[in-house]
Amino acid sequence: GAVVSQHPSRVICKSGTSVKIECRSLDFQATTMFWYRQFPKQSLMLMATSNEGSKATYEQGVEKDKFLINHASLTLSTLTVTSAHPEDSSFYICSARGGEGNTIYFGEGSWLTVV
Amino acid sequence: RKEVEQDPGPFNVPEGATVAFNCTYSNSASQSFFWYRQDCRKEPKLLMSVYSSGNEDGRFTAQLNRASQYISLLIRDSKLSDSATYLCVVRGTDKLIFGTGTRLQVFP
């Protein structure tokens, strides 16, 4: 079974609204979580790295005020896409590092469609 | 230049065929290397790690050449269920960098 759970798996929202995606590590404490975005037929692109209790580190070109990341506990990180636009429609995937061997586990991903 | 480069394919092969994927990476300080498999509209799943000595897992063999910064994946006796996108992944100090992936389609 999944050790990293992402929710929702699919979401449709109206342009201009905000949407929150949750990433939970189910049976381990994740000291670090990563958020990726994948456009069709493209690679996973790292958006940001978040460590519990501290501000996320964003990759170049990713707007931190648009993509709000909160890593409030060792088992939960959230990504909020604010003022969503149709071009934000994408597959968003989180991953969490922790557990034995400090392994990286991926969530099932969230499909965001902005209409 | 992209940090991790792969031939996007697609590779269309018959069942039973042997197919090889190649990957190059630009950062010589990269520490760990992996092949992930991604099915359509799903999250990537770890297929295997890649070690300098080369490693095999059933029908899958991975090779790493640090001097050439080159990684390969060989799939023998292809199955229909092997159809997917194969992602070459390189890990630096902290994060994973993904290649664009090579799409494999195995046909009967």
Side-chain angles (χ1 to χ4, degrees):
Chain A
V3 295
V4 175
S5 174
Q6 236 181 287
H7 178 81
S9 57
R10 294 177 185 277
V11 58
I12 300 172
C13 71
K14 290 185 177 180
S15 187
T17 62
S18 296
V19 61
K20 181 185 286 188
I21 301 170
E22 292 187 347
C23 180
R24 293 180 185 273
S25 57
L26 298 182
D27 53 8
F28 67 97
Q29 292 184 329
T31 51
T32 306
M33 286 187 172
F34 306 89
W35 286 95
Y36 292 85
R37 179 170 54 183
Q38 186 178 33
F39 292 109
K41 297 186 180 181
Q42 294 189 26
S43 182
L44 277 77
M45 298 301 296
L46 181 65
M47 298 175 67
T49 302
S50 73
N51 293 294
E52 185 265 339
S54 62
K55 289 184 179 180
T57 302
Y58 289 80
E59 295 298 303
Q60 193 172 12
V62 179
E63 300 174 60
K64 62 180 180 180
D65 294 329
K66 181 172 179 62
F67 299 99
L68 302 179
I69 291 171
N70 185 292
H71 193 163
S73 77
L74 284 171
T75 59
L76 174 64
S77 177
T78 60
L79 166 68
T80 301
V81 182
T82 63
S83 187
H85 288 279
E87 56 263 33
D88 296 326
S89 300
S90 186
F91 188 46
Y92 292 86
I93 310 175
C94 73
S95 67
R97 185 172 68 202
E100 196 173 322
N102 225 18
T103 306
I104 294 178
Y105 301 93
F106 281 85
E108 305 100 320
S110 300
W111 284 97
L112 170 63
T113 302
V114 184
V115 297
Chain B
R1 181 186 173 189
K2 291 180 181 176
E3 290 190 72
V4 181
E5 295 209 56
Q6 291 181 253
D7 180 344
F11 284 52
N12 296 304
V13 303
E15 274 186 289
T18 295
V19 61
F21 303 138
N22 303 318
C23 169
T24 57
Y25 60 96
S26 61
N27 187 348
S28 59
S30 299
Q31 299 175 353
S32 307
F33 309 89
F34 310 90
W35 283 100
Y36 275 74
R37 170 191 168 131
Q38 187 176 27
D39 292 289
C40 189
R41 304 175 75 87
K42 298 281 189 181
E43 78 277 18
K45 292 185 187 296
L46 179 64
L47 180 65
M48 60 196 301
S49 301
V50 188
Y51 304 113
S52 297
S53 55
N55 49 300
E56 187 174 307
D57 182 2
R59 298 181 292 109
F60 300 85
T61 301
Q63 297 275 357
L64 166 66
N65 185 322
R66 285 188 182 268
S68 304
Q69 295 178 203
Y70 171 91
I71 307 162
S72 67
L73 176 68
L74 184 77
I75 304 176
R76 292 181 298 278
D77 188 22
S78 299
K79 311 290 184 190
L80 295 175
S81 57
D82 293 334
S83 298
T85 296
Y86 290 83
L87 302 166
C88 176
V89 183
V90 172
R91 182 171 176 174
T93 52
D94 189 30
K95 56 192 179 187
L96 298 179
I97 307 296
F98 286 80
T100 51
T102 301
R103 187 159 163 254
L104 171 66
Q105 183 67 49
V106 182
F107 58 87

